[in-house]
């Protein structure tokens, strides 16, 4: 393919992605014209014959849409991606990789060798070193950064409650113009509740069956509101473009004073859903989202708001909120058609934020910041489409309660506006840190970014906060509850890990277990789940103490999260021995990113056995061929616990490399050994760097009988492989700790309340570790443990 046709193909792909992003990313943002003017003119200000209010509001809407979604997100924040992923956790992950502020336990040097773990080399770091040193020095700043991230996460979840309610309520409120005042309350609220219940009840089916309709619905809606806007401009006021001047903002505030400032809480709703551009970045691309917003969404919204303002500038008799709303500017013969389209668009916009809520809760759970919940993958083909049953029903109950409780756009708008602006402020703060510590730009640029956009957002935030008693209390209360739950869970998780670390037993204890002590080895594979990356966990010693037997093949498995969005399958498994080969004990560390999909237990079990077999073959190959070279690079040694170094085992394509190649440079070295294969699929083993000189040893191992013959696998290796196969056929048992956490004597009241009551309440009422790890009940062995921390 020539470069020109390739370029055309790439542009075609980008345009297709831009079109698809309309239904996923811009559903929430595109329906904001339904309620912005209605919320703004609810009580604080009134539409007068001078038109100063409507012109001022239009000017505020225009510049808010231009400065925040367009300038801030499209041109700056979207560039702060984490391997193509966006969102609050992406920014936090990016910062944690460049600055040692992560509070995640069981970190390893080997995690930094992941291909997705992108960090600039030290000699490239010029700016922001003092900021990095300050953050790394003070532990309280680590906690403050985590709390900031949790605050943003909680407000996103709050938005997941409020956005469906205000979107559907505003769409259905178009019925107000066709009903008497007595009937409005009895029609709009029940219809809204029915639509919301149906929306949440269908979540478990997933969106892959109807997702293809989302983009056409939002595209049709954008064309509809822009056409209506242009019609109203030419029909009622062709000079409305003059109101885009910032002068009208000044006149607006000068005339309305405090009431005008308070009305900003309604104006900020025009940017509801802007955060989705960044949060859903991983599903599309930077260019696609840029094109969709700049050339379709932004112009359509501006025309829609200008059209409504043009209509209102000539209709001063409309002072009630429902007459200032969106449907008042719709021609009467089109009202029912637009109403139907608005309800469909509001459902699409609500679906996007609900899916986003599921996604961010799954990320929080992966990073140990949320109680365990059941995650169901609704599509085998489309990555990332998940459904969380308990969260879904909680969201539904809260959504319906909010719609019934508030019953008007004003209070819903106040609540939603505060949640939206809090998320934006968190994003601004985190992006400022990224500019300094990740992009290594001068701190003055980060300060300028923070002051410019932060001051605008702080202005809107203050206008929302002052409406505390008029709806804004709800997201604050919800965030306070969620933050307490998330922080208590994270705190207890860290304390449990520290307890495990201090109470692990030695390798000598494990090796001493045998018939002389009355310990039997039973057929099968015993998979012991632990948070430790080395040593023998205390729950296993407790298991052996109470039941003096364990399996012939023993595997200590640590499923851990690393601060990257995805871990490539070829780099997921770290495998090593625990003790000598005759003991048949292994350690396997399974690494997942915060957006990775965890495997089902059946596929995980077979995959684990396959990786163990590959590791055993590699050990035999190493003994026969390359002992001297491995010892030279430090891979044959073991660490202080007596365990062998872990090996990365994966599968990649192989395309005929030289038979033996050594690259000797002053940089980290690489050794490759390749063999011809039939299917071009090989095992790649990477040894963890040891010692001062960093080296990486890489081997390609094939499954063919010819390869086995060339590797001269001895009888000991064959026997070990046969033992592994026999153990797999005998069955697998999953040994999981069932923990009870208790604060030690002399602990403060807050610590005792958090651990003895808070954490244990959550543990009893949330999913157990067997559900999170997808362990079948028939193969589960739970070991009770009391953690006194």
């Amino acid at each position: 393919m020539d470069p020109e046709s390739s370029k055309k193909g790439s542009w075609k792909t980008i345009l297709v992605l831009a079109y698809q992003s309309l239904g996923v990313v811009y559903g929430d943002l595109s329906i904001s014209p339904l309620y912005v003017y209605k919320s703004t003119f609810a009580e604080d200000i009134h539409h007068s014959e001078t038109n100063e209010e409507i012109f001022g509001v239009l000017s505020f809407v225009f510049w808010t849409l231009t400065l925040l979604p367009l300038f801030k997100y499209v041109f700056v924040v979207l560039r702060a991606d984490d391997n193509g992923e966006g969102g609050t956790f992406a920014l936090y992950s990016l910062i944690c990789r460049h600055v040692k502020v992560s509070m995640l336990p069981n970190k390893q040097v080997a995690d930094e060798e992941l291909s997705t773990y992108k960090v600039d080399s030290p000699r490239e770091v010029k700016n922001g070193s003092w900021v990095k040193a300050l953050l790394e020095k003070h532990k309280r700043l680590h906690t403050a950064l985590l709390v900031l991230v949790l605050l943003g996460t909680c407000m996103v979840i709050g938005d997941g409650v409020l956005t469906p309610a205000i979107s559907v309520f505003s769409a259905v409120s178009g019925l107000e113009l066709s009903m008497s005042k007595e009937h409005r309350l009895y029609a709009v609220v029940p219809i809204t509740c029915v639509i919301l219940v149906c929306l949440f009840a269908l979540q478990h089916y997933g969106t892959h069956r109807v997702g293809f309709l989302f983009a056409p619905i939002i595209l049709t809606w954008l064309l509809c509101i822009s056409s209506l806007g242009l019609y109203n401009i030419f029909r009622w006021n062709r000079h409305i473009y003059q109101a885009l001047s910032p002068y009208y903002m000044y006149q607006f505030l000068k005339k309305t004073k405090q009431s005008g400032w308070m009305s900003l809480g309604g104006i900020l709703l025009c940017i509801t859903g802007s955060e989705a551009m960044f949060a859903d970045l991983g599903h599309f691309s930077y260019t696609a989202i840029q094109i969709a917003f700049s050339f379709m969404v932004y112009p359509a919204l501006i025309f829609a708001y200008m059209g409504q303002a043009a209509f209102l500038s000539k209709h001063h008799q409309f002072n009630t909120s429902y007459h200032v709303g969106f449907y008042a500017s719709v021609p009467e013969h089109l009202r029912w058609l637009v109403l139907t389209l608005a309800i469909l668009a509001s459902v699409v916009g609500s679906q996007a934020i609900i899916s986003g809520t599921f996604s961010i809760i799954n990320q929080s759970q992966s990073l140990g910041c949320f109680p365990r919940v059941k995650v169901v993958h609704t599509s085998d083909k489309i990555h990332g489409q998940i459904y969380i049953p308990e969260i879904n029903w909680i969201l539904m109950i809260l959504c319906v309660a909010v719609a019934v409780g508030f019953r008007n756009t004003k209070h819903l708008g106040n609540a939603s506006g505060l949640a939206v602006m809090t998320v934006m402020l968190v994003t601004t703060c985190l992006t400022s840190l990224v500019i300094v510590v990740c992009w290594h730009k001068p701190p003055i640029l980060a300060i300028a970014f923070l002051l410019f956009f932060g001051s605008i957002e702080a202005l809107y935030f203050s206008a929302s906060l002052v409406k505390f008693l008029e709806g804004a209390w709800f997201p604050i209360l919800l965030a306070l509850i969620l933050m307490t739950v998330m922080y208590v869970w994270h705190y207890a998780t860290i304390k449990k890990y520290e307890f495990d670390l201090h109470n692990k037993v030695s390798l000598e204890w494990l090796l001493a277990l045998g018939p002389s002590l009355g310990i039997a080895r039973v057929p099968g594979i015993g998979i012991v789940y632990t948070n430790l990356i080395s040593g023998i966990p205390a729950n296993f010693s407790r298991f052996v103490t109470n039941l003096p037997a364990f399996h012939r093949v023993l595997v200590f498995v640590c499923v851990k999260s690393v601060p990257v969005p995805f871990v490539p399958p070829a780099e997921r498994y770290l495998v090593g021995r625990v003790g000598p080969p005759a003991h048949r004990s292994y350690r396997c560390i399974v690494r997942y990113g915060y957006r990775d999909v965890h495997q089902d237990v059946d596929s995980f079990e077979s995959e684990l056995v396959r990786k163990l077999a590959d590791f055993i073959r590699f050990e035999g190959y190493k003994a026969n061929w390359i002992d001297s070279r491995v010892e030279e690079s430090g891979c044959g040694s073991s660490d202080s616990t007596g365990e062998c170094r872990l090996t990365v085992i994966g599968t990649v394509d192989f395309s005929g490399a030289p038979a033996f190649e050594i690259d000797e440079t002053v940089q980290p070295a690489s050794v490759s050994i390749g063999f011809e294969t039939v299917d071009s699929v090989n095992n790649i083993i990477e040894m963890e760097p040891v010692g001062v000189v960093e080296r990486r040893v890489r081997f390609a191992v094939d499954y063919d009988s010819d390869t086995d013959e060339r590797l001269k696998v001895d009888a000991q290796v064959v026997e070990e492989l046969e033992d592994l196969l026999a153990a797999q056929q005998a069955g697998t048992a999953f040994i999981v700790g069932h923990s009870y956490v208790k604060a030690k004597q002399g602990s403060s009241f807050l610590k005792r309340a958090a651990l003895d009551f808070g954490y244990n309440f959550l543990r009893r009422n949330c999913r157990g570790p067997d559900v999170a790890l997808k362990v079948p009940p028939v193969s589960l062995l739970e070991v009770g443990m009391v953690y006194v921390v």
Side-chain angles (χ1 to χ4, degrees):
M1 185 182 291
D2 61 297
E4 189 172 338
S5 59
S6 176
K7 188 175 181 181
K8 287 181 180 178
S10 64
W11 272 107
K12 182 179 178 181
T13 303
I14 289 172
L15 291 176
V16 169
L17 286 174
Y19 165 73
Q20 292 174 342
S21 71
L22 293 175
V24 177
V25 178
Y26 298 109
D28 190 10
L29 185 61
S30 65
I31 57 178
S32 56
L34 288 172
Y35 44 78
V36 169
Y37 285 127
K38 190 173 180 179
S39 298
T40 305
F41 288 94
E43 274 186 15
D44 300 311
I45 57 174
H46 298 283
H47 182 37
S48 66
E49 293 187 6
T50 60
N51 285 327
E52 287 180 328
E53 293 86 359
I54 191 64
F55 289 168
V57 170
L58 175 61
S59 184
F60 265 107
V61 167
F62 172 76
W63 287 106
T64 303
L65 275 171
T66 302
L67 292 177
L68 295 181
L70 187 62
F71 287 177
K72 175 190 164 184
Y73 278 93
V74 172
F75 293 132
V76 182
V77 175
L78 287 182
R79 297 180 183 274
D81 65 293
D82 181 15
N83 291 282
E85 295 295 324
T88 306
F89 276 110
L91 290 172
Y92 182 60
S93 169
L94 202 59
I95 293 168
C96 286
R97 294 209 303 274
H98 287 81
V99 187
K100 295 177 182 177
V101 293
S102 175
M103 298 183 71
L104 284 174
N106 56 37
K107 292 175 286 188
Q108 290 176 285
V109 177
D111 297 339
E112 299 179 11
E113 298 296 322
L114 290 168
S115 57
T116 49
Y117 201 105
K118 297 178 181 177
V119 180
D120 295 333
S121 60
R123 60 178 176 272
E124 295 177 4
V125 178
K126 298 177 182 178
N127 298 303
S129 57
W130 65 271
V131 178
K132 179 180 177 180
L134 183 68
L135 287 171
E136 291 179 347
K137 181 180 179 182
H138 299 284
K139 296 293 183 183
R140 289 187 178 181
L141 292 179
H142 302 184
T143 305
L145 186 61
L146 177 66
V147 169
L148 184 67
V149 171
L150 294 183
L151 175 62
T153 303
C154 293
M155 285 300 183
V156 170
I157 298 172
D159 201 21
V161 173
L162 293 164
T163 294
I166 189 173
S167 300
V168 176
F169 187 91
S170 300
V172 176
S173 65
L175 296 171
E176 290 177 339
L177 296 176
S178 307
M179 294 182 176
S180 62
K181 189 174 182 180
E182 295 78 18
H183 293 136
R184 284 175 203 144
L185 191 62
Y186 300 104
V188 175
V189 175
I191 292 174
T192 299
C193 293
V194 169
I195 293 174
L196 288 173
V197 169
C198 292
L199 176 63
F200 283 100
L202 296 174
Q203 287 300 310
H204 69 281
Y205 292 109
T207 59
H208 57 284
R209 293 184 178 88
V210 294
F212 68 95
L213 295 173
F214 289 177
I217 289 173
I218 297 301
L219 179 61
T220 306
W221 170 251
L222 289 171
L223 292 173
C224 171
I225 60 174
S226 57
S227 301
L228 287 172
L230 289 171
Y231 165 79
N232 285 317
I233 290 171
F234 287 103
R235 174 76 172 81
W236 300 108
N237 191 344
R238 298 190 180 189
H239 300 286
I240 193 67
Y241 65 88
Q242 296 176 357
L244 303 181
S245 169
Y247 169 77
Y248 286 94
M249 290 193 290
Y250 167 74
Q251 285 293 105
F252 171 77
L253 292 176
K254 182 180 178 182
K255 179 180 179 181
T256 57
K257 297 183 174 59
Q258 184 179 354
S259 59
W261 165 66
M262 294 175 68
S263 71
L264 295 179
I267 295 173
L268 70 85
L269 294 175
C270 69
I271 53 175
T272 300
S274 299
E275 185 71 21
M277 283 193 287
F278 186 45
D280 294 322
L281 181 60
H283 296 293
F284 302 98
S285 70
Y286 172 67
T287 309
I289 290 179
Q290 265 192 326
I291 290 173
F293 182 79
S294 303
F295 297 101
M296 186 65 210
V297 179
Y298 178 74
L301 290 174
I302 296 301
F303 285 141
Y305 288 117
M306 288 176 67
Q308 287 185 68
F311 173 83
L312 293 173
S313 68
K314 300 298 181 182
H315 294 80
H316 305 102
Q317 73 276 20
F318 291 165
N319 286 320
T320 54
S321 62
Y322 60 90
H323 277 132
V324 182
F326 170 79
Y327 291 102
S329 62
V330 178
E332 193 170 348
H333 61 281
L334 295 176
R335 199 164 285 164
W336 285 101
L337 178 63
V338 174
L339 174 67
T340 305
L341 188 57
I343 292 174
L344 290 174
S346 67
V347 168
V348 172
S350 301
Q351 177 59 56
I353 192 67
I354 292 168
S355 299
T357 304
F358 291 156
S359 178
I360 201 163
I361 287 175
N362 187 42
Q363 293 173 40
S364 304
Q365 180 184 233
S366 298
L367 295 175
C369 295
F370 201 88
R372 289 181 291 264
V373 291
K374 184 179 181 181
V375 178
V376 179
H377 302 282
T378 57
S379 174
D380 296 329
K381 298 179 181 178
I382 304 174
H383 177 82
Q385 285 198 357
I386 60 174
Y387 164 71
I388 304 177
E390 45 266 70
I391 299 300
N392 181 68
W393 302 122
I394 291 172
L395 286 178
M396 186 194 76
I397 293 169
L398 290 175
C399 254
V400 172
V402 163
V404 173
F406 287 149
R407 299 188 184 188
N408 62 59
T409 310
K410 174 193 169 186
H411 291 90
L412 285 170
N414 292 338
S416 181
L418 185 69
V420 168
M421 202 47 60
T422 305
V423 176
M424 286 195 165
L425 275 168
V426 170
T427 300
T428 300
C429 295
L430 293 177
T431 306
S432 302
L433 280 177
V434 168
I435 291 172
V436 178
V437 300
C438 303
W439 296 350
H440 310 301
K441 300 296 182 184
I444 189 67
L445 285 180
I447 294 172
F449 176 86
L450 180 63
L451 289 178
F452 181 74
F453 292 109
S455 59
I456 297 172
E457 291 161 357
L459 177 66
Y460 282 118
F461 180 79
S462 63
S464 294
L465 196 59
V466 80
K467 303 287 186 67
F468 181 82
L469 297 177
E470 299 172 20
W473 60 267
F474 180 79
I476 294 175
L477 178 62
L478 185 62
L480 185 63
I481 295 171
L482 285 171
M483 278 190 69
T484 303
V485 168
M486 294 172 77
Y487 191 80
V488 164
W489 189 269
H490 182 75
Y491 177 76
T493 302
I494 297 295
K495 288 298 178 183
K496 282 173 60 182
Y497 177 75
E498 292 174 354
F499 180 90
D500 282 335
L501 199 62
H502 290 117
N503 290 276
K504 64 182 180 180
V505 296
S506 65
L507 179 64
E508 288 73 19
W509 174 88
L510 177 66
L511 298 180
L513 297 176
S516 60
L517 297 178
I519 305 295
R521 300 291 292 269
V522 297
I525 299 177
I527 297 178
V528 183
Y529 281 103
T530 173
N531 290 323
L532 299 177
I533 57 176
S534 65
I536 312 302
N539 63 349
F540 180 72
S541 66
R542 184 176 178 82
F543 170 77
V544 174
T545 302
N546 289 276
L547 183 66
F550 59 94
H551 296 82
R552 186 71 186 92
V553 174
L554 195 61
V555 187
F556 296 97
V557 173
C558 173
V559 179
K560 59 176 284 189
S561 294
V562 288
V564 295
F566 301 103
V567 175
E571 303 173 42
R572 190 177 306 284
Y573 288 86
L574 277 167
V575 183
R577 290 192 185 278
V578 179
H583 200 268
R584 303 293 192 261
S585 297
Y586 310 90
R587 181 176 306 282
C588 180
I589 297 176
V590 189
R591 301 177 292 185
Y592 288 100
Y594 54 82
R595 280 188 179 270
D596 269 325
V597 176
H598 288 221
Q599 292 171 298
D600 291 328
V601 68
D602 293 335
S603 61
F604 172 71
E605 181 186 344
S606 57
E607 183 79 2
L608 179 62
V609 171
R610 194 158 53 243
K611 299 301 180 187
L612 290 175
D614 293 343
F615 174 75
I616 294 168
R617 290 191 186 98
F618 164 69
E619 287 280 296
Y621 175 73
K622 182 183 71 173
N624 287 335
W625 280 67
I626 48 159
D627 264 348
S628 61
R629 295 189 179 277
V630 173
E631 287 173 2
E632 176 189 350
S633 58
C635 298
S637 61
S638 60
D639 60 16
S640 59
T641 64
E643 297 184 35
C644 295
R645 288 288 177 179
L646 298 175
T647 304
V648 178
I649 300 205
T651 303
V652 297
D653 288 336
F654 179 69
S655 54
F660 190 87
E661 177 181 315
I662 304 176
D663 181 17
E664 288 289 347
T665 63
V666 293
Q667 299 298 323
S670 169
V671 180
S672 301
I673 301 174
F675 301 95
E676 295 180 0
T677 66
V678 176
D679 56 0
S680 297
V681 177
N682 306 271
N683 280 341
I684 298 297
I685 297 106
E686 296 179 9
M687 302 304 297
E688 183 180 344
V690 182
V692 179
V693 179
E694 291 187 4
R695 287 178 179 268
R696 178 176 294 182
V697 183
R698 183 182 292 262
F699 305 99
V701 182
D702 190 75
Y703 295 116
D704 288 349
S705 58
D706 292 341
T707 305
D708 289 342
E709 185 177 337
R710 292 179 65 179
L711 293 177
K712 301 178 182 179
V713 180
D714 55 20
Q716 194 176 31
V717 173
V718 173
E719 182 186 355
E720 191 172 359
L721 289 171
E722 289 175 349
D723 286 349
L724 179 64
L725 179 61
Q728 184 184 20
Q729 291 173 347
T732 303
F734 297 85
I735 302 169
V736 179
H738 186 81
S739 59
Y740 178 82
V741 181
K742 185 178 180 181
K744 58 187 176 183
Q745 291 290 335
S747 299
S748 65
F749 171 77
L750 283 178
K751 183 177 180 179
R752 283 187 281 113
L755 296 178
D756 296 353
F757 299 102
Y759 177 78
N760 286 311
F761 173 81
L762 293 172
R763 179 188 57 80
R764 287 192 300 269
N765 292 279
C766 295
R767 303 279 184 172
D770 55 312
V771 176
L773 297 169
K774 300 181 180 178
V775 176
V778 70
S779 303
L780 176 65
L781 284 173
E782 284 192 305
V783 182
M785 282 287 295
V786 178
Y787 289 80
V788 181
V789 295

